[in-house]
């Protein structure tokens, strides 16, 4: 893989300036032919496992697609050829954002094609290098696309790209549980949940209802999950995809032949090895089994249930409060999270952790979230909020109590 990376690097150093889309597509064709000759896995895949129709479809919808400026490496190629629901990722540097965008853009020449790309918060979408930011780089005010008269229209208020064919790609946030309900009426061919391990199972299951098409529609319907181990749904994806029956395409930084391995290792992993061995294992090696152990609770103490098979005698939502908005986490501002945990007590005495809301926002957003979650939980759910010391904290709690 390192040898392949060095070969690709030499090819990319000779990348010319493109004056037209034809120049870009010619270069992509040459780079694809170069990778085909250099990477035996690609040759084996195309020569032994694909039909001529599948190979032609890949070339037409990916390599000759003017909206996709990059050429996929092997793992991304496997993803673009896959069918059904897929988890793609596993470690840092595996090309998740580019892979997701390639999948979203693959069939934009078809008028019916509709894609929804979801992140946990709007900030996650627009952070430099994140998936919406990357899409704007590829598509918005693209000189070559505008010159060819095929540039998509971009609505910044709705975060939707609409293509000349009529196809569309929507970007959206699903920060709260009720946000997932907003997309129940959508009809999507492709749903992409970016950094899916940050989503609760509740949100994931609600979003799945947006995937559907007419019986005579030839386009595929699929869900693409991207992510690395370490989020609240790590166990869900480990048991259902990494070790389960679902499709899992493992892609680490060493699989990304466009990445400078040595530089990435030094910048991202070198200090983590000793300072944070759990994060090191998750980010570098894609270890889905390693996890942090708290000082009070251990992950192995908890058993996973798909449903509660007994009568629930008590429901309680407990809030641990924080109220600082991480405006710039890279600048040293690393506030605590506000966490709201919904606990169910069965008649057997067993306690179930049914839901957990996690956010880092300013006090107004935290307050609105508590009220919205209370409405969804219903009046049968008791609410407990930690009260700090001092008269000001007592007054604030009385205010919250009145609003609830």
């Amino acid at each position: 893989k390192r040898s392949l990376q060095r070969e690709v690097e030499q090819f990319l150093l000779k990348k010319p300036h493109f004056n037209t889309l034809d120049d870009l597509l010619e270069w992509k064709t040459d780079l694809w032919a170069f990778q085909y000759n250099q990477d035996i896995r690609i040759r084996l895949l195309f020569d032994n496992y694909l039909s001529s129709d599948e190979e032609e479809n890949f070339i037409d919808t990916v390599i000759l697609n003017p909206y996709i400026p990059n050429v996929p490496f092997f793992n991304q190629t496997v993803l673009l050829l896959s069918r059904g629901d897929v988890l793609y990722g596993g470690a840092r540097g595996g090309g998740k954002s580019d892979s997701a965008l390639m999948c979203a853009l693959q069939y934009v020449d078809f008028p019916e094609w509709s894609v929804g790309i979801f992140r946990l918060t709007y900030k996650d979408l627009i952070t430099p290098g994140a998936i919406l930011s990357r899409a704007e780089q590829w598509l918005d005010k693209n000189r070559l696309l505008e010159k060819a008269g095929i540039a998509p229209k971009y609505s910044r208020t709705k975060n939707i790209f609409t293509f000349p064919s009529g196809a569309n790609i929507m970007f959206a946030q699903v920060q709260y549980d009720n946000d997932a309900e907003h997309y129940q009426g959508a009809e999507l061919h492709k749903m992409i949940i970016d950094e899916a391990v940050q989503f609760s199972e509740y949100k994931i299951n609600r979003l799945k209802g947006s995937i559907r098409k007419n019986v005579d529609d030839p386009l595929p319907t699929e869900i693409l999950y991207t992510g690395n181990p370490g989020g609240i749904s790590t166990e869900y994806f480990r048991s259902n995809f990494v070790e389960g029956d679902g499709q899992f395409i493992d892609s680490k930084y060493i699989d990304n032949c466009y990445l400078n391995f040595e530089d990435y290792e030094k910048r991202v992993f070198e200090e983590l090895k000793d300072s944070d061995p759990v994060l090191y294992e998750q980010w570098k090696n894609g270890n889905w089994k390693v996890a942090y152990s708290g000082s009070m609770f251990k992950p192995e103490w908890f058993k996973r249930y798909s449903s509660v098979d007994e009568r629930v005698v008590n429901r309680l939502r407990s809030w641990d409060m924080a109220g600082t908005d991480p405006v710039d986490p890279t600048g040293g501002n690393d506030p605590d999270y506000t966490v709201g945990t919904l606990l169910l007590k069965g008649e057997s005495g067993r306690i179930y952790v049914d839901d957990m809301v996690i956010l880092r926002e300013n006090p107004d957003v935290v307050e609105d979230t508590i009220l919205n979650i209370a409405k969804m939980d219903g009046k049968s759910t008791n609410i407990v909020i930690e009260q700090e010391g001092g008269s000001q904290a007592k007054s604030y709690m009385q205010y919250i109590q009145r609003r609830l």
Side-chain angles (χ1 to χ4, degrees):
K1 291 177 181 178
R2 291 186 184 274
S3 175
L4 177 63
Q5 187 270 328
R6 293 189 183 98
E7 294 286 344
V8 171
E9 182 181 24
Q10 291 302 312
F11 192 99
L12 294 177
L13 288 174
K14 302 174 184 176
K15 185 177 180 179
H17 176 76
F18 305 127
N19 293 312
T20 66
L21 275 181
D22 288 340
D23 293 341
L24 170 64
L25 298 181
E26 182 179 353
W27 178 81
K28 285 178 63 180
T29 303
D30 290 344
L31 178 54
W32 173 250
F34 177 82
Q35 283 193 183
Y36 181 88
N37 291 324
Q38 294 294 323
D39 194 334
I40 190 173
R41 298 170 301 172
I42 293 179
R43 292 202 305 275
L44 288 172
L45 177 63
F46 275 75
D47 294 348
N48 297 314
Y49 293 98
L50 297 185
S51 68
S52 59
D53 287 343
E54 288 172 323
E55 183 173 347
E56 183 179 348
N57 180 68
F58 176 83
I59 298 298
D60 288 343
T61 61
V62 179
I63 305 303
L64 298 180
N65 187 326
Y67 300 103
I68 299 176
N70 297 342
V71 173
F73 54 84
F74 174 73
N75 306 60
Q76 293 174 328
T77 300
V78 173
L79 173 64
L80 289 159
L81 291 167
S82 66
R83 290 293 174 263
D85 298 349
V86 182
L87 169 64
Y88 181 91
R92 292 292 293 267
K96 296 188 300 295
S97 295
D98 280 8
S99 302
L101 280 180
M102 289 180 187
C103 289
L105 292 163
Q106 190 171 7
Y107 295 104
V108 291
D109 279 345
F110 292 83
E112 304 86 358
W113 184 246
S114 182
V115 180
I117 300 178
F118 300 91
R119 281 296 303 262
L120 197 64
T121 69
Y122 183 68
K123 290 178 183 178
D124 293 333
L125 283 171
I126 63 172
T127 298
I131 194 162
L132 178 53
S133 174
R134 190 77 53 87
E136 290 176 348
Q137 292 174 8
W138 286 17
L139 303 171
D140 187 32
K141 297 180 181 178
N142 181 305
R143 176 180 56 86
L144 298 181
L145 295 175
E146 290 178 347
K147 188 175 181 180
I150 61 169
K153 295 180 180 179
Y154 179 37
S155 170
R156 292 184 178 275
T157 56
K158 297 180 180 179
N159 295 318
I160 295 177
F161 286 93
T162 303
F163 294 80
S165 67
N168 65 84
I169 299 176
M170 169 192 69
F171 294 80
Q173 67 177 43
V174 188
Q175 184 167 359
Y176 310 117
D177 285 350
N178 61 339
D179 290 339
E181 308 293 342
H182 298 164
Y183 307 103
Q184 291 297 299
E187 294 186 3
L188 302 175
H189 289 92
K190 190 91 173 183
M191 175 182 294
I192 299 172
I193 305 181
D194 195 26
E195 299 296 349
V197 291
Q198 299 175 3
F199 285 66
S200 67
E201 291 182 46
Y202 177 90
K203 292 177 183 176
I204 292 170
N205 289 329
R206 292 301 181 278
L207 288 172
K208 285 180 180 179
S210 300
I211 290 288
R212 55 183 178 269
K213 66 175 184 177
N214 294 329
V215 67
D216 58 346
D217 189 339
L219 294 171
T221 52
E222 301 158 339
I223 301 177
L224 168 60
Y225 306 99
T226 73
N228 307 323
I232 60 173
S233 292
T234 294
E235 178 58 29
Y236 170 83
F237 285 103
R238 183 173 75 88
S239 58
N240 287 285
F241 289 87
V242 180
E243 298 177 355
D245 296 331
Q247 295 184 74
F248 172 52
I249 299 175
D250 191 13
S251 188
K252 302 180 178 67
Y253 76 103
I254 57 172
D255 297 305
N256 187 347
C257 62
Y258 297 111
L259 196 66
N260 186 309
F261 298 160
E262 290 82 0
D263 180 67
Y264 197 75
E265 285 176 339
K266 290 177 182 178
R267 287 190 299 105
V268 179
F269 302 130
E270 203 167 78
E271 293 184 6
L272 281 179
K273 189 172 185 178
D274 295 323
S275 63
D276 196 332
V278 171
L279 194 61
Y280 175 83
E281 277 294 313
Q282 292 173 338
W283 279 15
K284 182 177 182 181
N285 300 321
N287 190 331
W288 290 83
K289 294 183 178 180
V290 67
Y292 293 101
S293 292
S295 58
M296 186 171 294
F297 299 104
K298 307 295 181 185
E300 58 268 21
W301 294 354
F302 294 84
K303 179 180 178 181
R304 177 172 290 273
Y305 293 87
S306 58
S307 62
V308 178
D309 297 326
E310 61 174 316
R311 188 169 67 90
V312 174
V313 298
N314 197 4
R315 295 167 53 90
L316 182 143
R317 173 78 71 172
S318 177
W319 289 96
D320 182 12
M321 302 283 284
T324 304
D325 185 359
V327 176
D328 183 12
T330 63
N333 183 16
D334 189 21
D336 291 332
Y337 287 88
T338 292
V339 181
T341 305
L342 178 61
L343 301 174
L344 310 180
K345 183 178 182 180
E347 57 185 351
S348 66
R350 183 178 286 116
I351 302 296
Y352 302 88
V353 179
D354 187 55
D355 178 61
M356 188 173 290
V357 177
I358 304 173
L359 70 154
R360 288 199 295 187
E361 291 290 351
N362 62 60
D364 290 338
V365 175
V366 170
E367 181 182 315
D368 289 342
T369 300
I370 291 174
L371 296 174
N372 289 332
I373 294 296
K375 291 177 183 177
M376 289 191 292
D377 287 344
K379 293 184 178 180
S380 63
T381 301
N382 297 308
I383 300 173
V384 173
I385 303 178
E386 178 189 22
Q387 179 178 313
E388 304 291 345
S391 59
Q392 185 176 0
K394 185 175 181 180
S395 298
Y396 177 71
M397 293 306 299
Q398 291 173 345
Y399 164 73
I400 288 288
Q401 189 174 18
R402 287 195 300 271
R403 289 204 65 186
L404 286 168

